Amino acid sequence: MAQSFRLIAVAISIVFQISVPAFAQEPIVARALVYKGPGSCEEHCSESSADVAKLAGFEPVYVGPKDVDPAIFKNAAVWIQPGGVSSTVALNMDPVLKDNLREFIANGGGYVGFCAGGFFSTAMVGSTKNKGLGIMPGRSTLVKTTEQALMVDVTWAGLTRHLYFEGGPYFTFEKEDAVEITATYADGTVASARAAFGKGRVYVTGPHPEAPQYWRDYFKLEDRDGLDPDLARDMVLWAAGRPVIH
């Protein structure tokens, strides 16, 4: 009888050891892939995008231009293309990665493009001869300004917001393009828009809602209504197909 009790105790112990770790495992946090490499600005554009990913509840993972292994997209919900120089990104990103990225979005992934990331989303990068991803309808065109950086008034979701701007695009579309315009500049041109690409979602902007305070400080810019991470966060959530926070 004593031996039977010992056998039962051992069996229970084995089951407990196997079961507890399984129940104790933390849920997998969806990842946000953030481009970091040539073409991403040295003023921490990738890092600012990663901060937005965290704000939206994702685990940011940096991806370089030569990361062609499709396994990088495992457990990823969204790709964030930061500000910088879009032509440099287009020329340095491996064609295989571009194809993998387009496939990821077409199969249900999200894409968020800030400034240069907006240029890179269209078929052609601005007025250059460099090809973009072609995941956003229409064209991206450089907004001409006399200042390197400035604060601009943007009507976003019906409200006027004062946003950091540095060499970003405006977007033009054809009537048949299935695009939702989410923000416009003071002159009425499109500052931000979103659209479907296959089963996925693409959200792009010319201004920088993700811009940290020290970008403003460097150029001695006054921001009337404060930082705008809520707009950047909501872009990421929408592109990833998550409920947008109000």
Side-chain angles (χ1 to χ4, degrees):
M1 180 67 71
Q3 185 175 1
S4 298
F5 279 121
R6 284 196 297 272
L7 291 174
I8 293 173
V10 169
I12 292 174
S13 176
I14 293 173
V15 170
F16 183 77
Q17 291 176 27
I18 294 175
S19 302
V20 169
F23 285 110
Q25 287 180 353
E26 295 182 0
I28 297 174
V29 178
R31 302 191 302 167
L33 305 181
V34 180
Y35 176 83
K36 185 175 183 180
S40 176
C41 80
E42 296 180 357
E43 294 76 27
H44 300 101
C45 280
S46 295
E47 288 75 9
S48 298
S49 294
D51 288 341
V52 170
K54 293 177 185 176
L55 189 62
F58 297 101
E59 176 191 357
V61 176
Y62 293 121
V63 178
K66 306 303 179 185
D67 290 335
V68 298
D69 186 350
I72 63 173
F73 292 97
K74 183 179 181 181
N75 298 326
V78 61
W79 176 286
I80 304 178
Q81 191 66 37
V85 182
S86 50
S87 292
T88 302
V89 176
L91 293 173
N92 281 273
M93 185 178 288
D94 192 290
V96 175
L97 177 56
K98 292 177 183 176
D99 289 341
N100 291 343
L101 177 53
R102 279 189 286 262
E103 183 177 359
F104 162 72
I105 302 165
N107 288 334
Y111 176 96
V112 170
F114 297 125
C115 191
F119 279 118
F120 189 50
S121 70
T122 52
M124 301 301 293
V125 177
S127 59
T128 72
K129 296 181 180 180
N130 298 316
K131 291 185 178 180
L133 292 173
I135 56 175
M136 190 71 181
R139 298 188 61 180
S140 54
T141 304
L142 177 68
V143 176
K144 295 181 180 179
T145 62
T146 56
E147 300 88 353
Q148 181 178 345
L150 66 158
M151 301 300 300
V152 295
D153 284 328
V154 173
T155 302
W156 195 302
L159 299 175
T160 299
R161 301 287 291 260
H162 206 44
L163 296 180
Y164 180 89
F165 180 90
E166 187 175 353
Y170 68 90
F171 303 92
T172 53
F173 305 102
E174 300 296 332
K175 290 182 179 180
E176 63 270 19
D177 290 335
V179 174
E180 180 184 359
I181 297 171
T182 56
T184 55
Y185 295 106
D187 64 359
T189 54
V190 178
S192 177
R194 58 193 186 189
F197 180 75
K199 297 178 181 178
R201 294 179 167 195
V202 179
Y203 205 155
V204 295
T205 176
H208 284 274
E210 86 289 5
Q213 180 60 43
Y214 63 86
W215 290 8
R216 294 161 170 80
D217 294 340
Y218 181 82
F219 289 103
K220 297 180 173 59
L221 299 175
E222 182 181 352
D223 190 343
R224 295 195 306 268
D225 56 7
L227 302 183
D228 308 285
D230 58 310
L231 298 179
R233 173 203 63 200
D234 290 353
M235 288 179 66
V236 173
L237 288 172
W238 183 89
R242 304 295 198 271
V244 175
I245 300 171
H246 294 287

